[in-house]
Amino acid sequence: MTEAMISVEDIDFDFENSQVRIVVAREIPETSSRMTKLSTAKVGQEVEIPYWMARELVSNGYGRFREEDVLTFNTLSKIHWRETIPASRQLPSLQPSFYCLLRRHLSDLKQLSKQDQGKLRELERTETLVRDIVNCRIRKLVSLAASPTPSEELLHGLTYEERALYSILNKTIEEWKSKLLGQGLRA
């Protein structure tokens, strides 16, 4: 399957089943054969498990995600600052699973904001930051897709979703140029 054919749902499915590390916060009872490995983990120890399982353990207080694997308003503010530097035409690297983590962070905030007015304000501020980040990155992606063959280094910093969008944009722009300028010419 090419990147252009990958959907957000495909990326989310892969993310849910990807291996992540969590820190054990309290003893995990042995409730099934799949948990045997986890029931021997000591408090404070890092374990690697599928994301869906990690999220379940974290939500039940048995573990916590590592700091570098969690999106916060401060993290998003730093990303926003890097993206919106006026002279910057570069696409700063994001971790490949950035949008997967972002979708889950926004979903969690929406749930929490139903009972907490402070979380509602945080959700609104986060949504504003996120819109700016996405709009900046889309503008830069369009420019990148229209430019002559970018370096692999530039493409390496893209998330899975951005790589798929880049492929679609690049193919569309190349086809348009070809039709506009004739089959043998390249812009």
Side-chain angles (χ1 to χ4, degrees), residues 39-144:
S39 65
T40 61
K42 305 289 183 231
V43 173
Q45 180 181 353
E46 280 190 15
V47 294
E48 190 170 283
I49 55 177
Y51 181 84
W52 65 266
M53 186 184 293
R55 190 164 168 99
E56 198 60 37
L57 289 173
V58 168
S59 71
N60 287 309
Y62 290 108
R64 63 177 170 75
F65 287 106
R66 299 177 311 165
E67 205 172 291
E68 62 266 27
D69 297 330
V70 176
L71 284 181
T72 64
F73 185 80
N74 288 339
T75 308
L76 290 169
S77 293
K78 289 175 188 170
I79 292 169
H80 181 265
W81 180 81
R82 281 195 332 247
E83 291 294 339
T84 57
I85 295 172
S88 174
R89 294 173 47 112
Q90 296 290 327
L91 252 169
S93 282
L94 291 176
Q95 65 186 97
S97 58
F98 172 76
Y99 291 109
C100 293
L101 292 170
L102 181 61
R103 285 188 292 278
R104 284 151 183 82
H105 178 63
L106 288 171
S107 176
D108 291 347
L109 277 177
K110 284 177 185 166
Q111 271 311 112
L112 293 170
S113 71
K114 291 177 182 175
Q115 298 108 0
D116 183 345
Q117 204 60 25
K119 291 295 180 186
L120 179 59
R121 283 188 297 283
E122 183 181 344
L123 173 62
E124 291 165 350
R125 290 176 33 220
T126 300
E127 287 175 334
T128 299
L129 275 181
V130 168
R131 271 192 293 280
D132 282 353
I133 291 168
V134 169
N135 288 335
C136 281
R137 290 190 72 85
I138 287 173
R139 279 192 299 276
K140 293 174 186 178
L141 262 175
V142 169
S143 178
L144 189 63

Side-chain angles (χ1 to χ4, degrees), residues 139-183:
R139 279 192 299 276
K140 293 174 186 178
L141 262 175
V142 169
S143 178
L144 189 63
S147 66
T149 319
S151 70
E152 184 55 40
E153 184 183 319
L154 279 175
L155 298 176
H156 180 72
L158 302 180
T159 67
Y160 300 125
E161 296 87 347
E162 289 171 343
R163 284 177 185 245
L165 179 58
Y166 169 82
S167 294
I168 292 167
L169 290 170
N170 184 258
K171 181 178 183 221
T172 303
I173 290 168
E174 287 302 317
E175 287 173 359
W176 182 82
K177 284 181 190 177
S178 179
K179 288 177 184 173
L180 180 70
L181 302 173
Q183 294 300 327

